[in-house]
Amino acid sequence: METAFYVLAAVTVAGAVAAMALPRLVHCTLCLAVAFVGLAGHFLLLGAEFVSFAQVLVYVGAVAILVVFAMLLTRSADAPPAWVVSRPGLLGVGVAVLVFGCLAATVAGSGLAGREAPPAPEVTVKALGERLMAEYVVPLEVVGLLLTAALIGAVILALEDRAKGGT
Amino acid sequence: MMETLDQLFVLLKRWVVGEFPAAWRLWLSPLIDAGAIIGVFAGLFAVTTLLERKGLGRLQNRMGPNRVGPFGVLQPLADGLKMLTKEDIVPRAADRVVHFLAPIAMVTPILLAYAVLPFGRNLVAVDFDAGLLFFFAVGAGTELAVFMAGWSSRNKYSLLGAMRGIAQMISYEVPLVLSAVAVVLVAGSLSLPSIVDSQAGYHWGWLARWHVFTPWGLAGFILFLIAATAESNRSPFDLPEGESEIIAGHLIEYSGFKYALFFLGEYLGLFAVSALGITLFLGGWQAPVPFLAWVPSYLWFGAKLLGCIALFIWLRGTMPRLRTDQLMNFAWKFMLPLVLVNLVVAALWHGTAAWGFFGAGATRWLLGGAVLWLTYSALSHALFTAPGRGPRTYRYAD
Amino acid sequence: MPPLHAYLLLSAALFAIGLAGALTRRHAILVLVGIELMLNAANLNFIAFWRYGARPEALTGVLFAMFSIGIAAAEAAVGLALIIAVYRHFRTTTVNDVNELRG
């Protein structure tokens, strides 16, 4: 268990760093997919099977593909490698390191540090579905509404303004 | 005796694993499963390439391969040797790392998908509670592989082919998943073995309780088959690789073993999605008639799989290729509404399951069938009389 | 089973990486990617707290993570559509160059 965690953590962090640091956009997206798969592995280790598969389905199957499509449509895939180390850039990294330091200090300072996991609960898809249909039915409907709105909004945004005779 | 034969592979594995020390067993069991899956389906791939070439040859009124071995049966061996010994060419402008990783990214997820498919009674590598979701989740990985192949080759045609391929795959994934959701709704489970169990038994002692014999199941199976054809880039949906339009799409710059891997991935994907269709709609490994239930379950599964493969070969030899706009219209304007209505019909079927009066089954069938038929005819009418869709005119051919 | 703080530190690291990317990179798509990474870090926290929490059978963390995944999908779709619209208009995807309100 421990080994699996550290291997997966290394893969996830390496994928995330590469996704943010590589000069070529396509490489970034592919590394992002690796990071997402690593996270799905963590979810599987933690016993959240359904979330793990949903993570791969949504992030690798939809978000990464959408990013790829956006890259191809905006001709960014063949853009020259952009990696400019500038003053604001270094400042951004500094802020991020500061945030990580704060978060890590909080985690270390909280009483949670040595907490051990209770025995693994049995998470069946049936139990999840019953929760979603009973206690969480309003959030579920709201998410459905949100997704529909996002679908329509995305289509309208990306639709060319033909009325104005757009390019 | 028949019981033992039916469980032959399960018992064999248990015996082999039992021969090893306990510390190894945890690792050995999945290794055996993986080895068996790779071996069996790579073998099936070799057989299918021969069957496909022979079958297409017959459909086109020619002989097909008949030089290597008796009746050409050793042709796959010759093809394999040719593939392995060919020079591996990587274009100078190509992104070497991505170009190298693309075939691996293609084959690995597809092989993973086999883990949740039940090939026979108790013959499943992993029985996830969310097995169906696992199947679709790993299947999503192949789309990125297609993009990797198309982009890394630095070739206009391969990039176009990859764009076409991804667009087609995400478009047809929607009807594919939704037609499977209808089965989940009725079976009440995402685990593939229990979906097979939900189709056990026979109506009146002879008609199998497969989902394909219900109105929503029949419509769902047909929609699933169409979407599966598109998902596995097979004719008539082989636009990403249309030889006459964009040479071979994302496969242009691949040769030798890498090309063979893509080829293998495509066929393995076809087998996997056929096996899923069999599991969801055709009763999995169940026998079609009760008096043949003694035949081992994996044989039934194999027979159904071969039947599906034959259907796909037949389709390939018969149908002309679609245009991109036709492809997209078909997915979004025809299949998506139909598959949503199919979901409603499945819910109706499930809700009326308690009807007990005389002729209840026939009434339910007629009700569901009527809803589906009305939707189908209304949709096709609307699509064929849409503005800008006059009768076809031929500008050059007479 | 690794202790809880291992997961929390991993999640904090992912959040910081995503933040660094979103602050540093100029390309609009990469900014969005950074935000996605930060969302994912939050998801990991939800699942970790659920697993190590007092009442895992309540499934609250799992359900929250599922809702969060759904919302992230919507966010990505709208965000990328915006990027495409911006590209159509300004012919660029560099966030620094998109600094005019005039349409």
Side-chain angles (χ1 to χ4, degrees):
Chain A
M1 277 306 249
E2 293 266 339
T3 333
F5 169 78
Y6 288 113
V7 170
L8 275 174
V11 168
T12 313
V13 171
V17 169
M20 296 280 70
L22 286 180
R24 273 199 182 278
L25 268 173
V26 173
H27 294 165
C28 291
T29 315
L30 297 176
C31 291
L32 180 74
V34 171
F36 286 155
V37 172
L39 267 174
H42 281 298
F43 293 164
L44 205 58
L45 268 189
L46 283 166
E49 201 180 280
F50 193 86
V51 179
S52 163
F53 301 156
Q55 162 97 2
V56 176
L57 190 65
V58 172
Y59 279 103
V60 179
V63 172
I65 294 289
L66 269 180
V67 171
V68 159
F69 249 88
M71 272 180 340
L72 292 178
L73 288 177
T74 57
R75 296 172 197 277
S76 318
D78 292 317
W83 179 225
V84 204
V85 180
S86 57
R87 238 161 53 116
L90 287 178
L91 203 67
V93 174
V95 169
V97 169
L98 208 67
V99 167
F100 177 71
C102 285
L103 285 173
T106 319
V107 168
S110 69
L112 297 169
R115 192 151 191 180
E116 284 304 318
E122 187 69 26
V123 192
T124 56
V125 179
K126 213 179 179 69
L128 273 177
E130 275 161 3
R131 292 284 158 121
L132 276 180
M133 281 294 150
E135 290 166 64
Y136 295 92
V137 68
V138 178
L140 183 73
E141 295 295 326
V142 171
V143 166
L145 199 66
L146 180 87
L147 283 174
T148 318
L151 176 75
I152 297 169
V155 168
I156 289 175
L157 276 177
L159 205 67
E160 284 197 53
D161 31 6
R162 287 219 184 97
K164 287 191 283 178
T167 48
Chain B
M1 175 58 205
M2 266 353 218
E3 197 59 36
T4 320
L5 207 59
D6 187 35
Q7 295 298 301
L8 181 64
F9 296 110
V10 181
L11 294 174
L12 205 65
K13 186 187 139 193
R14 200 171 294 159
W15 173 72
V16 170
V17 172
E19 288 296 296
F20 284 89
W24 292 18
R25 284 179 199 166
L26 189 66
W27 293 99
L28 203 63
S29 168
L31 272 182
I32 291 177
D33 291 340
I37 285 171
I38 293 174
V40 168
F41 285 94
L44 186 63
F45 161 66
V47 174
T48 307
T49 50
L50 180 71
L51 279 180
E52 176 141 37
R53 294 179 64 178
K54 276 281 191 192
L56 278 182
R58 287 297 173 185
L59 283 170
Q60 294 159 355
N61 208 2
R62 56 188 173 83
M63 296 297 282
N66 61 354
R67 292 286 136 175
V68 194
F71 305 105
V73 290
L74 293 180
Q75 186 67 35
L77 204 67
D79 284 345
L81 274 179
K82 187 192 89 175
M83 286 289 188
L84 285 177
T85 51
K86 258 176 129 173
E87 187 190 352
D88 176 34
I89 300 168
V90 182
R92 188 183 298 159
D95 192 311
R96 285 179 170 273
V97 180
V98 181
H99 192 265
F100 174 78
L101 288 177
I104 302 169
M106 179 87 180
V107 175
T108 318
I110 293 175
L111 282 175
L112 275 177
Y114 281 91
V116 291
L117 291 170
F119 303 108
R121 192 175 284 129
N122 301 331
L123 206 62
V124 56
V126 196
D127 181 7
F128 276 130
D129 193 37
L132 190 66
L133 194 67
F134 177 83
F135 187 94
F136 288 127
V138 293
T142 56
E143 288 161 22
L144 266 187
V146 168
F147 168 75
M148 285 163 76
W151 177 78
S152 66
S153 303
R154 291 293 157 81
N155 179 317
K156 277 184 197 126
Y157 293 109
S158 66
L159 193 60
L160 270 176
M163 283 273 284
R164 279 186 179 190
I166 299 171
Q168 173 178 329
M169 279 159 112
I170 34 182
S171 303
Y172 281 87
E173 200 166 307
V174 179
L176 189 79
V177 173
L178 283 176
S179 58
V181 165
V183 177
V184 174
L185 186 83
V186 173
S189 174
L190 277 166
S191 145
L192 292 175
S194 45
I195 285 175
V196 174
D197 287 337
S198 77
Q199 304 177 63
Y202 302 89
H203 293 291
W204 314 295
W206 57 271
L207 181 66
R209 281 178 183 273
W210 298 354
H211 290 322
V212 75
F213 296 129
T214 57
W216 60 270
L218 186 61
F221 182 57
I222 295 169
L223 289 166
F224 186 92
L225 265 187
I226 297 173
T229 324
E231 274 293 296
S232 41
N233 293 342
R234 284 191 57 98
S235 178
F237 299 105
D238 58 346
L239 286 99
E241 294 152 36
E243 296 90 346
S244 47
E245 299 163 18
I246 48 173
I247 324 182
H250 56 279
L251 304 176
I252 297 180
E253 303 289 5
Y254 279 94
S255 65
F257 193 61
K258 288 182 196 158
Y259 179 78
L261 274 183
F262 269 111
F263 206 52
L264 175 74
E266 229 155 69
Y267 274 90
L268 285 183
L270 181 71
F271 302 153
V273 84
S274 310
L276 186 68
I278 291 166
T279 308
L280 292 178
F281 297 101
L282 296 183
W285 39 260
Q286 317 257 12
V289 276
F291 62 86
L292 284 177
W294 54 270
V295 177
S297 52
Y298 46 85
L299 288 186
W300 278 122
F301 192 88
K304 287 175 192 176
L305 190 57
L306 283 177
C308 277
I309 292 169
L311 182 71
F312 280 118
I313 294 173
W314 184 18
L315 273 178
R316 180 173 168 186
T318 318
M319 308 282 279
R321 185 182 302 140
L322 272 77
R323 265 192 344 246
T324 306
D325 59 324
Q326 293 169 334
L327 184 91
M328 288 297 154
N329 278 343
F330 190 65
W332 292 105
K333 296 186 184 163
F334 182 77
M335 286 184 76
L336 185 61
L338 205 55
V339 91
L340 286 174
V341 170
N342 192 38
L343 207 57
V344 176
V345 173
L348 264 180
W349 181 270
H350 193 56
T352 56
W355 284 6
F357 58 86
F358 179 74
T363 319
R364 286 163 75 203
W365 233 105
L366 283 177
L367 205 67
V371 171
L372 280 168
W373 178 256
L374 280 178
T375 320
Y376 169 75
S377 46
L379 270 177
S380 33
H381 180 76
L383 283 183
F384 278 115
T385 53
R389 283 214 47 134
R392 175 171 293 188
T393 47
Y394 295 94
R395 225 177 306 163
Y396 299 110
D398 168 24
Chain C
M1 203 74 192
L4 175 58
H5 65 264
Y7 281 106
L8 297 183
L9 283 179
L10 173 65
S11 153
L14 279 181
F15 187 87
I17 294 166
L19 184 66
L23 290 177
T24 328
R25 302 302 296 256
R26 300 280 173 75
H27 199 286
I29 293 177
L30 279 175
V31 174
L32 198 74
V33 164
I35 295 171
E36 290 291 336
L37 267 180
M38 281 146 67
L39 269 170
N40 264 285
N43 272 354
L44 181 61
N45 261 359
F46 282 130
I47 299 286
F49 277 127
W50 160 73
R51 181 68 182 79
Y52 288 82
R55 282 180 59 233
E57 67 281 355
L59 297 178
T60 322
V62 174
L63 288 164
F64 212 120
M66 275 166 60
F67 284 125
S68 150
I69 288 177
I71 287 170
E75 179 237 325
V78 175
L80 291 168
L82 272 174
I83 291 172
I84 290 171
V86 165
Y87 175 76
R88 286 229 176 89
H89 197 83
F90 291 98
R91 292 277 137 202
T92 179
T93 44
T94 309
V95 274
N96 288 22
D97 297 346
V98 185
N99 50 10
E100 282 183 356
L101 272 179
R102 198 141 44 88

